[in-house]
Amino acid sequence: MAGDPMEIDGFKQQQGQALCNPELLSLYYRRIFPFAEMYKWLSYGNDGKHPSCDSSFFGRREFSFTLENDIYLRYMSFRDASEFEATVCEKRPQKIDIGAVYSVDPAKRLAYASVSNDRVFAPVEKELVFDVDMTDYDDIRNCCSGADICLKCWPLMTIAIKVVDSTLREDFGFDHILWVYSGRRGVHCWVCDARARKLTNEQRASIADYFRVYKGNENNNRKVSLPTHLHPFLARTYSQFLSRYFDEEILIKQSLLHPQENADKVLKLVSGQGMSMQYMSSAYSELPVQLEEKKRNNRLLPDEINRQRWADLQRKLMQKRGIQVELVFTYTYPRLDLEVTKKMNHLLKAPFCIHPKTGRVCVPIDPEDCDNFDPTTVPTLPELFNDLNNGDARPVSKDWERTSLAKSIRFFKSSFLEPLLKECRCQLEASHHKKLQEMSARPNFTW
């Protein structure tokens, strides 16, 4: 039986109705979606009157829309912010994906189809992107599987953000990095420095391979392959993040060594690395018996069993530290979809669009505070319109300021967009100054 209708800006939604229906999407795009901020981001300073601005830049960016009934529209492009906003509001896409900047307007690509030179229509610029999906961790998750997530497995995404973000900054020198919740089960990373946007496919593949340690498959117990002497990047990653998060988060929240069936999965991994199952089982096979009296008297918790078993297992592995390190890497190291990173023409879901399955907004994540990010509290479309209907009536310049999305948009503007645009303006100024110098250096012929 349907519940009471909920009033949302003149639209009545029955409980149980789709969280991402056309009416809600239309209201979201008309009243909340931050079109101005998205346009400024994707223009990279080329939206003004500076002499060095490239007025065609935004118009050469590819977008794709996924509409109702899985209708997919690719190679869309827009002249400016107003056309972008008008088209989105008209078509009400369930998903917006962002692609590369091409050499010519993607919407006019067919006009160049007869030209033999492949470079007439080719990607020339694209953010360096990374995609982490929770389903790739299913072999080590004991709480959820598939598209399901919870606060027990979400720390795996937190680790991925910490490792990739710190590496991109420390090892590659990138500054303008945007992390975004996918809306359901993963996170996306956009590296927006000018140097990153101009990387070739070969250079992107090299960066992707820099992160590669995950080599296992469903038929192979050994999930990672590490050298005897870790690369400084991997050694730093292990000491700064993996070891700590394994001890403080994954061991307990995934209950790796209790109950027995979970512990057997760990033993199977270890035994596949040259240690006999019988030998490793002895590390804790008698532990439950030893703790039985303590359990009766003190109500020993599963967490304590997990910790004591891990301590005992570590003692067994004392002479085989490499196995312990590989075990920690297996359960904590980021599992990146590296094919997404390698190709410039790959599209990725836009920030602030809505996930059609959950109705949640794809909000930015602060890498400095990602430990406190809770995907279960990310606002949904109905919640946003409840905010509008029931929120503060004070005058605001944008409707989103009345909603629970305001914090996310303000973070996007102040922590990511403003520093990025400041650097873009400096680059435009430097480019203009260089052109002036080149012009003044040319010979001035007189007749």
Side-chain angles (χ1 to χ4, degrees):
M1 181 172 137
D4 294 332
M6 178 174 60
E7 186 77 19
I8 302 178
D9 194 28
F11 168 70
K12 292 189 176 183
Q13 184 197 34
Q14 297 289 336
Q15 291 180 13
Q17 191 169 344
L19 290 169
C20 192
N21 58 57
E23 291 86 354
L24 280 176
L25 279 172
S26 179
L27 291 166
Y28 176 70
Y29 289 131
R30 284 194 290 108
R31 297 188 61 181
I32 298 177
F33 188 83
F35 285 103
E37 290 75 15
M38 291 289 288
Y39 175 70
K40 287 180 180 179
W41 167 34
L42 297 173
S43 295
Y44 290 101
N46 290 293
D47 56 344
K49 297 180 179 179
H50 193 281
S52 289
C53 282
D54 179 356
S55 59
S56 72
F57 185 86
F58 184 79
R60 291 186 285 114
R61 170 78 72 166
E62 179 193 2
F63 293 84
S64 75
F65 291 174
T66 303
L67 310 181
E68 279 190 285
N69 302 317
D70 292 327
I71 297 173
Y72 184 62
L73 305 177
R74 192 176 174 182
Y75 295 115
M76 303 186 71
S77 60
F78 312 100
R79 289 189 304 271
D80 51 31
S82 59
E83 185 179 33
F84 175 44
E85 181 173 354
T87 307
V88 170
C89 290
E90 175 195 353
K91 296 192 176 294
R92 304 180 299 193
Q94 293 189 337
K95 185 159 77 89
I96 302 172
D97 289 295
I98 300 173
V101 177
Y102 282 80
S103 50
V104 295
D105 183 344
K108 299 176 181 177
R109 72 197 183 284
L110 296 180
Y112 301 91
S114 60
V115 180
S116 59
N117 186 354
D118 292 338
R119 295 190 177 277
V120 171
F121 176 66
V124 295
E125 185 170 319
K126 168 70 187 302
E127 295 79 7
L128 177 66
V129 297
F130 295 86
D131 182 11
V132 195
D133 194 313
M134 190 70 84
T135 56
D136 291 328
Y137 295 81
D138 277 357
D139 64 300
I140 61 168
R141 288 198 290 168
N142 293 319
C143 54
C144 305
S145 63
D148 295 332
I149 61 167
C150 68
L151 294 183
K152 291 182 178 180
C153 56
W154 188 255
L156 292 165
M157 295 295 103
T158 301
I159 298 168
I161 293 172
K162 291 285 189 182
V163 170
V164 176
D165 190 81
S166 65
T167 304
L168 290 171
R169 295 179 192 277
E170 294 181 30
D171 294 1
F172 293 96
F174 296 128
D175 295 313
H176 304 288
I177 302 172
L178 176 67
W179 286 94
V180 182
Y181 170 49
S182 71
R184 192 178 191 183
R185 61 180 184 238
V187 294
H188 300 151
C189 174
W190 302 76
V191 187
C192 301
D193 300 62
R195 184 165 52 87
R197 303 196 311 268
K198 292 177 171 60
L199 292 170
T200 65
N201 285 338
E202 292 75 17
Q203 291 168 331
R204 293 166 193 264
S206 294
I207 292 175
D209 286 337
Y210 186 80
F211 285 94
R212 186 188 298 277
V213 301
Y214 183 74
K215 299 183 182 296
N217 57 54
E218 60 184 10
N219 299 315
N220 182 8
N221 288 337
R222 192 174 184 182
K223 297 299 180 181
V224 299
S225 179
L226 299 175
T228 303
H229 300 288
L230 290 181
H231 185 283
F233 146 61
L234 295 178
R236 183 185 71 234
T237 296
Y238 180 80
S239 61
Q240 286 188 354
F241 304 111
L242 305 189
S243 179
R244 175 169 62 87
Y245 275 94
F246 181 91
D247 290 342
E248 297 176 4
E249 298 280 352
I250 305 305
L251 175 67
I252 300 304
K253 290 186 177 179
Q254 289 303 310
S255 195
L256 296 185
L257 296 173
H258 179 75
Q260 188 66 39
E261 56 265 29
N262 291 356
D264 286 342
K265 290 168 62 176
V266 175
L267 282 186
K268 190 176 181 181
L269 281 172
V270 173
S271 64
Q273 295 171 308
M275 304 290 284
S276 72
M277 191 78 154
Q278 181 179 3
Y279 174 78
M280 293 314 303
S281 296
S282 68
Y284 60 80
S285 59
E286 298 178 359
L287 192 56
V289 177
Q290 297 168 355
L291 296 175
E292 193 62 39
E293 183 178 351
K294 184 175 181 182
K295 187 188 293 186
R296 285 197 302 269
N297 297 334
N298 300 324
R299 297 181 181 179
L300 186 67
L301 298 174
D303 289 0
E304 189 172 354
I305 296 176
N306 268 286
R307 292 194 186 282
Q308 293 198 35
R309 282 185 164 181
W310 176 237
D312 210 21
L313 192 57
Q314 285 178 299
R315 284 192 291 272
K316 283 284 187 181
L317 294 172
M318 195 171 297
Q319 303 302 318
K320 299 275 188 178
R321 187 175 183 275
I323 296 178
Q324 178 182 324
V325 171
E326 286 201 6
L327 185 65
V328 171
F329 266 86
T330 297
Y331 278 90
T332 57
Y333 189 79
R335 301 185 176 189
L336 308 175
D337 185 348
L338 297 179
E339 295 306 312
V340 172
T341 304
K342 292 180 178 181
K343 298 295 184 181
M344 197 184 300
N345 61 357
H346 188 93
L347 289 89
L348 194 63
K349 189 188 304 176
F352 297 109
C353 70
I354 308 298
H355 195 290
K357 299 293 186 182
T358 64
R360 296 199 185 279
V361 186
C362 301
V363 296
I365 301 173
D366 182 357
E368 297 292 329
D369 191 41
C370 59
D371 290 282
N372 295 316
F373 180 80
D374 182 351
T376 66
T377 63
V378 171
T380 63
L381 281 184
E383 290 168 353
L384 291 175
F385 289 103
N386 270 338
D387 293 341
L388 289 179
N389 289 329
N390 303 320
D392 195 338
R394 72 189 189 287
V396 292
S397 59
K398 300 285 186 180
D399 274 341
W400 57 256
E401 296 180 75
R402 301 184 193 276
T403 73
S404 51
L405 196 59
K407 181 180 178 181
S408 295
I409 297 178
R410 290 192 185 106
F411 169 78
F412 177 81
K413 290 177 64 176
S414 62
S415 296
F416 168 73
L417 185 58
E418 290 175 5
L420 173 64
L421 293 183
K422 182 179 179 180
E423 183 168 301
C424 290
R425 287 190 291 269
C426 290
Q427 291 167 348
L428 288 172
E429 193 62 39
S431 176
H432 181 58
H433 182 66
K434 182 179 180 180
K435 289 179 182 178
L436 291 178
Q437 285 184 321
E438 290 173 350
M439 291 175 62
S440 64
R442 293 173 185 170
N444 186 15
F445 293 102
T446 58
W447 302 92

